[in-house]
Amino acid sequence: MAPWRRTRLVLAARRQMTMMGRGPICQEGIMWSRLLSFVVLAFCLMAAHLPASATIWDSVPDEQLKALELSRDATPKELFDSLSKRYRAELTKGKHAKFWEPIPMDMYLAPTLFYKAPDLDMQVTREQCASCHESVTHGWVASWEKSVHANLDKIRALPADDVRAYKKDIITEVEANLHSQGLLEQGAQLKDVGCADCHLGIGAKAGNHKDLHLPDRTVCGSCHLRQFAEAESERDTLTWPQKQWDKGHPSHTVDYMANVETATWAALQQREVAASCTMCHTNQTKCDNCHTRHEFSTVEARKPEACATCHNGVDHNEFEQFMLSKHGTKYQTRGDSWDWNARLADQNTKGGFTGPTCQGCHFEFNGQFTHNTVRKVRWGFLPFQNIADNLDDPWFQDRKTAWIGTCSQCHSPRFAETYLTMMDNGIKEGTKLVEETRKVVQKLYDDKLLVGQKTNRPALPAPEQDEPGGFFSLFFAQKNQTTLVDRTFAEMWEQHVARYMKGLEHVNPGGWTYSHGWSDLIKDQAIINEQDTLLREKAQLEQRVQKLEGKAGASAKLSSLDNRKPQNLLVSLGADPLYAGGTLAFLGGGLLLGGLAGRRRNRRGDTGDTPQ
Amino acid sequence: MAPWRRTRLVLAARRQMTMMGRGPICQEGIMWSRLLSFVVLAFCLMAAHLPASATIWDSVPDEQLKALELSRDATPKELFDSLSKRYRAELTKGKHAKFWEPIPMDMYLAPTLFYKAPDLDMQVTREQCASCHESVTHGWVASWEKSVHANLDKIRALPADDVRAYKKDIITEVEANLHSQGLLEQGAQLKDVGCADCHLGIGAKAGNHKDLHLPDRTVCGSCHLRQFAEAESERDTLTWPQKQWDKGHPSHTVDYMANVETATWAALQQREVAASCTMCHTNQTKCDNCHTRHEFSTVEARKPEACATCHNGVDHNEFEQFMLSKHGTKYQTRGDSWDWNARLADQNTKGGFTGPTCQGCHFEFNGQFTHNTVRKVRWGFLPFQNIADNLDDPWFQDRKTAWIGTCSQCHSPRFAETYLTMMDNGIKEGTKLVEETRKVVQKLYDDKLLVGQKTNRPALPAPEQDEPGGFFSLFFAQKNQTTLVDRTFAEMWEQHVARYMKGLEHVNPGGWTYSHGWSDLIKDQAIINEQDTLLREKAQLEQRVQKLEGKAGASAKLSSLDNRKPQNLLVSLGADPLYAGGTLAFLGGGLLLGGLAGRRRNRRGDTGDTPQ
Amino acid sequence: MAPWRRTRLVLAARRQMTMMGRGPICQEGIMWSRLLSFVVLAFCLMAAHLPASATIWDSVPDEQLKALELSRDATPKELFDSLSKRYRAELTKGKHAKFWEPIPMDMYLAPTLFYKAPDLDMQVTREQCASCHESVTHGWVASWEKSVHANLDKIRALPADDVRAYKKDIITEVEANLHSQGLLEQGAQLKDVGCADCHLGIGAKAGNHKDLHLPDRTVCGSCHLRQFAEAESERDTLTWPQKQWDKGHPSHTVDYMANVETATWAALQQREVAASCTMCHTNQTKCDNCHTRHEFSTVEARKPEACATCHNGVDHNEFEQFMLSKHGTKYQTRGDSWDWNARLADQNTKGGFTGPTCQGCHFEFNGQFTHNTVRKVRWGFLPFQNIADNLDDPWFQDRKTAWIGTCSQCHSPRFAETYLTMMDNGIKEGTKLVEETRKVVQKLYDDKLLVGQKTNRPALPAPEQDEPGGFFSLFFAQKNQTTLVDRTFAEMWEQHVARYMKGLEHVNPGGWTYSHGWSDLIKDQAIINEQDTLLREKAQLEQRVQKLEGKAGASAKLSSLDNRKPQNLLVSLGADPLYAGGTLAFLGGGLLLGGLAGRRRNRRGDTGDTPQ
């Protein structure tokens, strides 16, 4: 299907959707028949990316070809060369490079940058790898033996009605990619994909053990070029209209850079602690976060648990939210009767799926399933105020329309629109709580009233810098670097409001109001408002005592001078700092402070999590 | 089996059980042979509800028939009419109606009250629904195609020894219900159950798309009358002897009312936050919380995860407690070898089950499995003091006896009784901690010593009202509406003690002492006792400074008058409020304050959770 | 394989491993070829414990035979008699016996000590058990009927290539054990293992119901002698070189004693709360924590969930860590395609496993799979400083080498070594945070500055004793027994650092830095450092007010004397206690306080958790 046609459909959808708004029930005035016809058309698209001969697949978006300065008639070799050149150029130690040194483990996490082969000078043939390693590390050999890589002919022999038959086309596609790159003789077929192909070089017959490499994305992408291009296109399709995030962020394809360019990460002296962040931020560096070596099972990669190692926990608990939603319980109760060998596009038909998965919703875009998981991203990783303020921008509206298409696989478009609008409104309410509280925190910091702020708050290790409730509060606490107020607010803006959002996004009731979400945010607000009152009352009492001491004469003054430092902070408070929390209404100026964390986060360019 | 016979058995059981008590080991003096014979008799009952011709099923309890003023000889039509009339009368916006307006999403949550069909004026035939929606929303059509509804003849063709053969009787039963209501011609069989039957009207051949409705419980109940009556009987069988809860509360069948009549819910300005509560409190309004549309899989509804979306989290973590108990790990390790097509009554025999599920224990009552899940409820949703004080009441004893019968499917009756007695004693200990701490909190509130209490604690939005540590503390925190003491105590009485109880009830060790439960309660108590000391020391120090200022003369007074407000609270404290926590022993009066939260909760009539 | 040969291999391995260290990348200088050959040799061992005729199995370690003063030529009877004699001698109520009384439930938890048969005087034959209990407690009969115990001939009939065929050898082995003990006629075969065998006596034809017993480990061990000996050998192989723990601790085989000898447990007045601890600490007393009665399914015992009931939660969340690691997601996504009937040694071959389980790694030692799960234990249950300080000791190095062997089933030895070294370094960093914070807490306690410390901190129930942030802080909070500082530090050293360690050990990124682990420890440190500042500032302000009151004359003194008690504590503070937290650098003396919790924990001899 020609690109212009999809564009027209999206525009039509946008028009439809902007008519819906958030009116009271029964005043919708929407032409449902028009919407209906739109959806019917939209789903005609689900036939998806036909690998048109001699052109780049239509699952590779225009934005990427433009960025690479390639036409859609480019050869696989041209596409691969262009992609891998950019890939290597953008995978570096980053702007904070001077602040940290890799530890040995890093060579396995970012092999392109750090891998060194074992110092074993031994000439080996292609056949010797598996036979020798069967006794050394039999587990990985056994896994490979179960993989498609070891059994290409078994795939080729599948009958056409086998749910895995689509893999035959993939083999053909891979062979075409290799032909184009001159890595497989024209007309020749792949026999198998063995250790040597990935660790020595595609088609290698022999080599020296000390020349082994650990595959990065380009090694997988040489064969799986379409998937490589789709995944890499996350850099190109995520261009935030109001610069809420840097281009391509947050996405899998830049997640390693997001990691190393985070000041907090670079500042951590305990590199084993920093390594934990890196463990997940390695989709940019390799492919086996989802496609576990050496079985590379597609069945595994299609199941929600494949996302779980990274997408769980304090601020990106998508996995838990999904599992406790009705969507997730459907998976847990009925998933064993679904055929996981069906590819994503076939799951609801050949696969017999009666519920959604992470992959089924997030890999889909306008009826097509690709490795670009961020084409419908709207709220991203955190609900920034400058996202909340711009949801009417067509960029956001188009993406909402795309989501309605996704949900409409199983729900009525009206239901989907109604839910997504409620979700948006809910997220805005959470964001509002955070911004209200940010003002209280900032005022305490500006008034220098945080515990120990003037006497016991040492500078953070470079390149990290102080700010009230900054991201660093989760990782540094020497002396009073992190106070209760800092920590509480860091959890509020970086964790709790994120979980609140993700609860709404994944339709898990307990996830956004009660067990987590709103209730957590209210607790944060309560703690910070209480600290605001307490710290100001404390300052005032000290002031009163100081005044009394002043009256008590010179001898008293002398004895208390040395330990009266904390009171000096009152000088900066002006007339009456008491109950500033109660007078916030006079502050005015709207969200002057609101974008702070956002900007910080943005500056850090953090995270490669797939949002929404 | 005649009702009198079951009654006699229950009475016999009660007599047996009251003899057991909680004696030291080896002094039991129980006639185990008598108990044994009781259990044998009890399990004769497991043949369960025979749908006696021309009478209402014996799984429909006497209490319900009495409440509906029906005899057991009533026709299905009479039962349905009576049930659905009451159902609609009791499903309203509630006494707080004026405080809130529905948002669009509410029409899907309480369709009886709010649903409006899409504005699509289009005449459709019965056949057109699926064929058109196959292209619009293929997911729901595919789910329906896998359902029994779409395949009645497939069920009719099952051999008698198929574990699903019982469904043939259900089809016959449904047809009899429809015959009685004049919705199916006498002698005619149902062909299938399609979109039109539920969304336009049973048996409808055609209709207009704008007349669609969203099924509530009465729509499902028209066919599934027995299940509807059983479920609705929760209103009738749960009559608390000391009015611990309103009649029928807490249960699934009144859970929507429990929601809308909760002051906190009605007071929430952020309706998207309130909607999260509603998401689960909709068993009263529809049936698909457990029987997910449109597959309506009984296999799904029988698995523990079917309960998980609602029964998880901070105060009703039954799902987590079960999954980590030995019961749950048995399910997780062996459940894949059990035949989930077996109905509950057949699971331990035809199904090959070797462990229990939520459904296997909670749907059972005296050997019968019905949709009334609350006939063994004793502790309900929260361990109120007035439950702890009345466990010797025959009402509670009978229900304990019924539980022993349930456990005795797999455990010896003595083991069951021993465990349940330990559970009761344990829950009492937790309740005691809460009541001790409630006194400390109440005294701080009465002494107006909570942070900001006199200066910075604005009124809550109506209809919510202030109280120390009220339920609202989980959802409101403007200024100092919620202090650390309030919030901690709200978590203690509403969440932690509930989890403590549920840990004991579901035999999850980490759930009641270490990871959760006792350890959480102790932390709450520690925090509140510390605040008690700190706030009283703070008040006293301020008092001393004030006294010094009084001595310091008129000029000092003048300058500090404006910011001395917080000290005024001391006026109400009388002579010496210091260390009131330490003098609680003198308070006397027993549990004068103890019932507070309970009464509040009771007033709110909250929750539709199935306890125990 | 002769023991000397294994010993030589272990020595060789130790030599290899000590050469690896933690060098920067590329300066390893390791002879990888030598390592390779070592690994090859090591895995020759995987053929495992051949039950050599007329000798004790080689899976029974030398340490155990030595402790029992048996030669490897001992008969099964001699081994059983010796083992069961020691077993009974060491299973007592412990040194705190006078402080607690069992509750009825305890008879099911420690049957050897407390079980009393029901008072039912009834002669029964072997056959009557199941037939009568089919109607009383049909669940347990149904479970037994599915067990191997009820179907020995079915096992005997298995073809040699059946993955369960190894069970034939086990039956033969059991029969040999019984022959040796005179419990089965020479040459006779077991027909089945019925109720009577375990509850009345092996081979019993009849008996009286009032003579029933509840099996302890010796009852199972009479038949399953090898497994009994292996499990009991945990007492013998875990001899900590620097006495970090008592001999055999922490392990399953002494977990009941660890429980009853914990002062906190014995001090708990609420025995139902203490019972929760006991629920898991019963591997010493019986075998069905893992082998759930009465199916005794090996499939169940091999699955990770079999460990979950005990190994989850606040301080030993191995289950959660595993499940969220890539190891665990592999299990969750692919485990349904693995053959769980394969025994551990066959899983990666016959079983088709492509990922690890709890059992696959923790039951393995130098290629052999046994019921001694602690032969590779290094960090144990908590990262004590005196473990961190001694990792270079050959005892720890040998065990690291053994772990490298385990990981090398699927990973390269270099990868394994690199990860394990990072893990060690990471754990040390966490331990450092704890020790830094311990000093702050101890100083506050020594200065008597904890809230209510001098006025409102009553003694704990015996045998528990006060200490800052002791284990008791999780369970006792009368008045100010537990302050925020105590509680926070108790969670830090007993829970959060344990989870941090377990996150690293189980390769779950979110488990050691972000969701849990480092981030938790930093929060603890932040809270305690803030309290340090606040409590010292508070003391100072009170001191200043007191000084002012002294100047204000005699009348003022009189009125405030009665409520000035808290200030007296300042007497003990010397010149200027303010900001002691800021002057900790001057404290010196290294880790004088560091071993406190460790020693306490050690004194308590706590826990039977399998670490690492």
Side-chain angles (χ1 to χ4, degrees), chain C residues 133-340:
Chain C
H133 275 280
E134 204 151 43
S135 52
V136 188
T137 51
H138 67 277
W140 87 40
V141 179
S143 289
W144 172 76
E145 281 170 349
K146 292 183 80 170
S147 75
V148 167
H149 282 170
N151 297 284
L152 298 182
D153 282 342
K154 220 162 128 183
I155 296 297
R156 290 189 183 103
L158 290 174
D161 62 350
D162 189 288
V163 75
R164 292 165 299 163
Y166 74 91
K167 295 194 180 192
K168 296 199 269 192
D169 293 336
I170 293 186
I171 295 177
T172 307
E173 191 180 303
V174 166
E175 288 167 341
N177 293 338
L178 295 178
H179 293 150
S180 171
Q181 294 169 73
L183 293 168
L184 184 67
E185 219 176 319
Q186 290 298 332
Q189 279 196 334
L190 269 178
K191 202 173 153 295
D192 62 13
V193 181
C195 309
D197 295 304
C198 304
H199 292 281
L200 283 169
I202 294 172
K205 301 261 181 284
N208 193 304
H209 198 283
K210 70 179 165 54
D211 296 330
L212 289 178
H213 55 254
L214 213 63
D216 64 9
R217 268 194 170 192
T218 66
V219 172
C220 305
S222 195
C223 290
H224 300 286
L225 178 55
R226 177 165 55 81
Q227 292 79 359
F228 181 35
E230 290 167 9
E232 285 290 305
S233 75
E234 294 185 349
R235 291 181 206 265
D236 305 304
T237 60
L238 198 51
T239 312
W240 294 83
Q242 288 82 26
K243 314 280 178 210
Q244 284 90 343
W245 294 82
D246 284 343
K247 187 171 184 184
H249 289 262
S251 81
H252 291 107
T253 208
V254 294
D255 66 355
Y256 186 75
M257 291 316 293
N259 186 52
V260 300
E261 300 216 330
T262 299
T264 304
W265 181 91
L268 272 166
Q269 309 299 301
Q270 300 82 0
R271 298 311 300 166
E272 298 80 9
V273 176
S276 158
C277 307
T278 314
M279 291 280 289
C280 283
H281 281 261
T282 45
N283 292 288
Q284 180 174 358
T285 64
K286 50 208 188 64
C287 296
D288 68 350
N289 278 17
C290 310
H291 300 281
T292 313
R293 63 192 187 280
H294 290 94
E295 189 179 6
F296 306 107
S297 161
T298 47
V299 167
E300 176 186 351
R302 285 172 191 137
K303 290 191 175 174
E305 288 87 352
C307 310
T309 300
C310 300
H311 289 274
N312 76 78
V314 287
D315 66 348
H316 40 46
N317 61 342
E318 294 90 352
F319 179 64
E320 296 93 323
Q321 302 282 20
F322 167 77
M323 291 295 267
L324 286 174
S325 74
K326 182 55 75 181
H327 290 163
T329 60
K330 193 84 193 170
Y331 161 63
Q332 291 178 80
T333 54
R334 300 298 289 147
D336 60 348
S337 70
W338 303 341
D339 189 346
W340 294 89

Side-chain angles (χ1 to χ4, degrees), chain A residues 139 276 289 315 480 538 563, chain C residues 326 409 509 514 533 537 540:
Chain A
S276 159
N289 278 18
D315 66 348
N480 299 139
K538 176 169 170 278
N563 51 20
Chain C
K326 182 55 75 181
Q409 294 176 69
Y514 201 23
T533 300
E537 286 183 355
Q540 196 212 23

Side-chain angles (χ1 to χ4, degrees), chain A residues 313-327 380-381 383 419 422-424 426-427 495-518 520 612, chain B residues 272 275-276 279 309:
Chain A
V314 287
D315 66 348
H316 41 46
N317 61 342
E318 294 90 353
F319 179 64
E320 297 92 324
Q321 302 282 21
F322 167 78
M323 291 295 267
L324 285 173
S325 74
K326 182 56 74 180
H327 290 163
F381 181 70
Y419 187 82
M422 182 183 85
M423 178 193 93
D424 281 346
I427 297 173
Q495 300 181 345
H496 299 166
V497 77
R499 285 202 300 223
Y500 173 75
M501 176 177 78
K502 285 165 202 303
L504 274 155
E505 288 170 352
H506 294 87
V507 202
N508 175 25
W512 87 76
T513 292
Y514 201 23
S515 293
H516 292 297
W518 189 261
D520 288 342
Q612 291 215 340
Chain B
E272 298 80 10
S276 159
M279 291 281 287
T309 300

Side-chain angles (χ1 to χ4, degrees), chain B residues 498-553:
Chain B
R499 285 203 299 222
Y500 174 73
M501 176 177 79
K502 285 165 203 302
L504 275 155
E505 287 169 352
H506 293 87
V507 202
N508 175 25
W512 89 76
T513 291
Y514 200 23
S515 292
H516 292 297
W518 188 261
S519 178
D520 288 341
L521 294 171
I522 287 296
K523 185 172 187 175
D524 298 329
Q525 194 183 31
I527 290 172
I528 289 170
N529 284 352
E530 170 152 325
Q531 286 294 307
D532 189 48
T533 299
L534 278 174
L535 293 171
R536 291 178 192 282
E537 287 183 356
K538 174 168 172 279
Q540 197 212 21
L541 189 65
E542 286 173 332
Q543 207 176 24
R544 287 163 62 195
V545 171
Q546 198 177 8
K547 192 174 286 181
L548 287 166
E549 288 168 335
K551 292 184 199 304

